[in-house]
Amino acid sequence: TIEYGNNTYGIKVAAQTYFNKLPSELNHKESAILVGLINKPTRYNPIRNPEFAMEKRTEILYNLLKYGKIDQEAYDSLKVSDFGLQYKVQDQNEGLATYFRTVMRNFLMGWAKTNDYDLFADGLKIYTTIDSRMQLYAEQAMAEEMDTLQSVFIDHLQGDAPWIDEDGNEILDFVDKAIKRTPNYRSLAKKYGEDSDSLNYWLNYPRDMTVFSWGGEIDTTFSLIDSLKYYKHFLQAGFMAMDPQTGHIKAWVGGINHKYFKFDHVKQSKRQPGSTFKPFVYTAAIDLGYSPCYTAVDAPVTWMMDDPEKPTWTPQNANGKFTGQTMTIRQAMAASVNSVTARIMQKITPRAAVDMAHTCGIESDLPAVPALCLGIGEVSLYELVGAYSTFANQGVWTQPFFITRIEDKNGVVIQDFIPKRREALSEKTAYLMIHMLKGAMEERNGSAHALDYRLKQNNEIGSKTGTTQNASDGWYMGVTHDLVAGAWVGGDDRSIHFKHWALGQGGKTARPIWENFMLKVYDDPRTGVEKGYFKKPSTPLGVELDCDLYEGGTTEADSLNIDLGFDDLDL
């Protein structure tokens, strides 16, 4: 609760702010500065008033001599020494978990107001779920992979603008529309008027500024228009990891650099999930009795629509081709075959898929329409990680959360935070979906087949990639027995993306972040995350998991016969 100036409260923060040390590491001259600040934080501030601070420090050092804490020789040396400052304001743009701290701060501001506390002066102790090691590894993985990906992105543009339409053509009015959404534009428009020459003049007036780059900050001269164009070339990303059993969020990286890009891509941002939504379609089917061995044909599936201009809709596969091959739904989900997902969606109905997604933890509104099978609608990374955790937690959804308790200055617990829990799926359905997700690594054409072998050894991994139209969004969700994590990569505007879908797919953009993170986590035993195997249901499955297409696998025709009573001729 004690103020040390410069909006610094508490000895630990003061030691870090002025000397970049822990309190236990402070020496006599440093401690004397902080003792003086307690008396008058402004007058004896070594940054604002160094002369008064020196006088006060000398007085305190003399008292140490007077009471025998130091000898004359030490006093004579210390009183003429410099301050030894390593001053650095502890703000939200520096240090570990910058995006998370902003999210937590906003939550706590509301909590403090509701519970009548002063968040900054009451000496509250807030205990979070974030693991500092995993947070560091997440930030390192993000930086390492996004630095590389950004170079690939810029190189492939070959000087062209990244804001392009569905036909690959530059959107000519993109910059004009984007600048109007900025605070600088609104301020200038209010001062000069939207149609004034002065507004246009100041938008294009060059000025000195410092800008972000992956190689470090750059001092340059940009106009506001130049600056906007520069920053719109950057790909953004989000990453979150949580313990599926407890709901504890272990790592939260909301973007590539909090100082220059404040928008949080974990919870604040909502984007189309693409194929990462498919597991909820298949979960609904399995919950209705379908087996992972159920087979379907990779062939066109047509929906009758109510739109007179477009009376039918036939979803295409990512490569625009249909193989005509018969495959299990596990193989189809592993290879992300759209036609098979659409076929299953027809059988269970879009409403069933929406209900299942909500049951598993997706809270965003979702349209109960055929195209949902390809992941339209918008969800947050926070929701997806929480929903996938339901599979790893034997069907129990646990709300992701990041604060465990708050204590007052005396250590008395003011509030314990207990996450919401509910039984969303049966153990059997949850385990079958884990088996389905493992197919991405185990099936021949699985989207995670190329994962680093070091992750696969003595370890079970379930995963799903996702890529939206034009590769505006790339996703990767990874599930292990004790950690579920997800990554998203894309432009802040959906029109900013790779020209070629293959370059921007989730397996190329988001998966490397997850892979890099997990390798670091497994290499550090202090994280407590270990390789292992998913827990099996307490009762027998009664479902065959080792599918054989030619001998015994349930076929599409067989299932229709069983479920609907149709004979083969009706098919």
Side-chain angles (χ1 to χ4, degrees):
T1 60
I2 293 175
E3 182 183 358
Y4 289 87
N6 299 309
N7 199 31
T8 299
Y9 292 84
I11 182 63
K12 185 175 182 180
V13 176
Q16 291 173 335
T17 299
Y18 290 101
F19 303 108
N20 193 28
K21 290 184 176 181
L22 294 172
S24 60
E25 298 172 327
L26 296 171
N27 57 35
H28 282 117
K29 71 175 184 178
E30 294 162 347
S31 300
I33 286 291
L34 299 183
V35 170
L37 280 166
I38 293 174
N39 185 244
K40 292 182 179 180
T42 300
R43 181 175 178 82
Y44 299 133
N45 191 301
I47 305 299
R48 300 181 181 180
N49 296 302
E51 292 183 4
F52 291 133
M54 181 64 80
E55 290 177 6
K56 188 65 176 176
R57 190 188 74 166
T58 301
E59 175 190 334
I60 294 167
L61 291 172
Y62 177 77
N63 281 326
L64 290 178
L65 172 66
K66 176 181 177 182
Y67 291 101
K69 301 299 180 181
I70 58 175
D71 57 24
Q72 185 68 47
E73 182 180 357
Y75 170 72
D76 291 339
S77 175
L78 286 171
K79 72 177 183 179
V80 296
S81 65
D82 60 22
F83 288 144
L85 294 173
Q86 294 188 43
Y87 180 73
K88 189 174 185 180
V89 176
Q90 302 294 304
D91 64 23
Q92 296 299 91
N93 293 321
E94 302 290 340
L96 201 64
T98 49
Y99 286 92
F100 171 75
R101 280 187 278 138
T102 298
V103 170
M104 185 176 67
R105 173 194 173 105
N106 292 339
F107 171 83
L108 289 171
M109 290 288 285
W111 179 91
K113 183 176 181 180
T114 300
N115 293 276
D116 197 27
Y117 283 96
D118 187 326
L119 184 62
F120 303 101
D122 283 349
L124 301 177
K125 299 177 182 178
I126 292 91
Y127 294 82
T128 78
T129 64
I130 293 293
D131 183 290
S132 61
R133 298 180 186 91
M134 283 194 262
Q135 179 67 33
L136 175 62
Y137 297 148
E139 293 182 10
Q140 289 176 344
M142 169 88 74
E144 290 164 6
E145 300 302 333
M146 290 304 295
D147 184 3
T148 300
L149 185 65
Q150 185 65 39
S151 296
V152 174
F153 184 61
I154 295 300
D155 289 346
H156 108 287
L157 289 173
Q158 295 182 328
D160 294 339
W163 39 89
I164 51 180
D165 60 23
E166 293 183 359
D167 297 320
N169 300 315
E170 180 182 350
I171 302 173
L172 299 179
D173 61 349
F174 174 86
V175 174
D176 290 338
K177 289 183 177 180
I179 195 68
K180 291 180 180 179
R181 298 194 296 266
T182 65
N184 283 324
Y185 178 90
R186 289 192 290 268
S187 176
L188 290 171
K190 184 177 180 181
K191 184 175 182 179
Y192 298 110
E194 289 206 28
D195 299 323
S196 69
D197 293 336
S198 295
L199 172 61
N200 186 62
Y201 173 81
W202 288 112
L203 288 176
N204 289 279
Y205 181 80
R207 61 196 73 192
D208 294 336
M209 63 176 67
T210 302
V211 298
F212 167 81
S213 84
W214 280 111
E217 293 183 327
I218 299 173
D219 293 326
T220 187
T221 302
F222 273 163
S223 69
L224 294 177
I225 294 289
D226 293 333
S227 175
L228 175 74
K229 290 179 179 178
Y230 175 77
Y231 281 123
K232 288 297 183 181
H233 278 73
F234 281 94
L235 292 173
Q236 301 296 327
F239 182 88
M240 181 181 130
M242 68 174 277
D243 181 326
Q245 279 76 44
T246 64
H248 289 188
I249 296 173
K250 297 296 184 180
W252 180 308
V253 188
I256 60 174
N257 185 282
H258 187 266
K259 180 177 180 179
Y260 290 95
F261 306 99
K262 292 289 192 287
F263 192 70
D264 173 62
H265 294 95
V266 171
K267 193 174 184 181
Q268 186 178 7
S269 172
K270 290 189 177 185
R271 302 291 286 255
Q272 291 185 355
S275 291
T276 58
F277 186 81
K278 288 177 180 177
F280 305 114
V281 177
Y282 288 111
T283 302
I286 285 176
D287 207 47
L288 290 171
Y290 285 75
S291 160
C293 297
Y294 172 80
T295 60
V297 179
D298 176 15
V301 177
T302 299
W303 295 73
M304 304 304 297
M305 310 297 288
D306 293 331
D307 187 347
E309 296 183 3
K310 295 182 179 180
T312 63
W313 178 65
T314 304
Q316 301 296 307
N317 285 328
N319 61 5
K321 300 177 182 179
F322 300 100
T323 65
Q325 295 178 349
T326 299
M327 60 186 70
T328 66
I329 59 174
R330 185 178 192 249
Q331 292 170 331
M333 194 177 90
S336 211
V337 180
N338 292 342
S339 64
V340 175
T341 312
R343 195 173 298 276
I344 295 299
M345 178 76 102
Q346 272 194 338
K347 298 180 185 304
I348 67 167
T349 74
R351 172 48 58 188
V354 169
D355 292 343
M356 180 54 70
H358 287 160
T359 296
C360 288
I362 300 295
E363 297 181 341
S364 297
D365 291 334
L366 297 169
V369 297
L372 184 64
C373 69
L374 303 186
I376 67 163
E378 295 183 341
V379 301
S380 68
L381 179 60
Y382 170 90
E383 291 175 285
L384 270 183
V385 174
Y388 272 65
S389 293
T390 302
F391 305 136
N393 195 27
Q394 296 185 290
V396 177
W397 172 75
T398 303
Q399 183 183 38
F401 74 116
F402 48 78
I403 296 177
T404 57
R405 72 182 187 276
I406 299 176
E407 297 177 357
D408 67 14
K409 63 183 179 181
N410 298 313
V412 177
V413 176
I414 301 171
Q415 183 171 342
D416 281 314
F417 291 84
I418 301 173
K420 296 177 183 177
R421 287 188 172 90
R422 67 167 177 266
E423 186 175 334
L425 307 170
S426 67
E427 283 184 296
K428 171 185 171 181
T429 297
Y431 188 77
L432 289 174
M433 280 311 301
I434 288 294
H435 178 67
M436 293 278 287
L437 289 166
K438 283 163 55 182
M441 187 175 71
E442 297 173 351
E443 295 288 351
R444 184 178 62 182
N445 295 321
S447 57
H449 191 67
L451 274 178
D452 192 299
Y453 76 95
R454 290 172 293 176
L455 294 176
K456 300 177 185 179
Q457 289 180 316
N458 303 314
N459 199 26
E460 286 188 327
I461 298 172
S463 65
K464 188 72 194 77
T465 55
T467 314
T468 57
Q469 190 174 18
N470 293 329
S472 295
D473 305 272
W475 299 82
Y476 189 80
M477 305 299 298
V479 181
T480 66
H481 72 103
D482 59 357
L483 194 68
V484 176
W488 167 90
V489 174
D492 267 338
D493 297 84
R494 287 180 176 83
S495 58
I496 296 174
H497 51 77
F498 280 94
K499 294 179 180 180
H500 312 297
W501 188 91
L503 289 174
Q505 59 182 298
K508 294 283 185 67
T509 61
R511 191 184 75 189
I513 298 174
W514 182 89
E515 191 171 31
N516 187 322
F517 168 76
M518 291 302 295
L519 286 170
K520 295 178 189 295
V521 168
Y522 282 140
D523 281 344
D524 186 349
R526 296 174 300 172
T527 63
V529 176
E530 299 177 343
K531 292 181 178 180
Y533 302 89
F534 292 103
K535 187 176 181 180
K536 294 183 178 180
S538 55
T539 57
L541 284 172
V543 173
E544 180 62 53
L545 297 183
D546 187 11
C547 305
D548 186 333
L549 287 177
Y550 305 103
E551 296 181 17
T554 304
T555 67
E556 188 171 3
D558 289 338
S559 188
L560 284 172
N561 228 336
I562 295 168
D563 296 339
L564 304 178
F566 291 163
D567 58 33
D568 291 341
L569 184 61
D570 291 329
L571 295 177

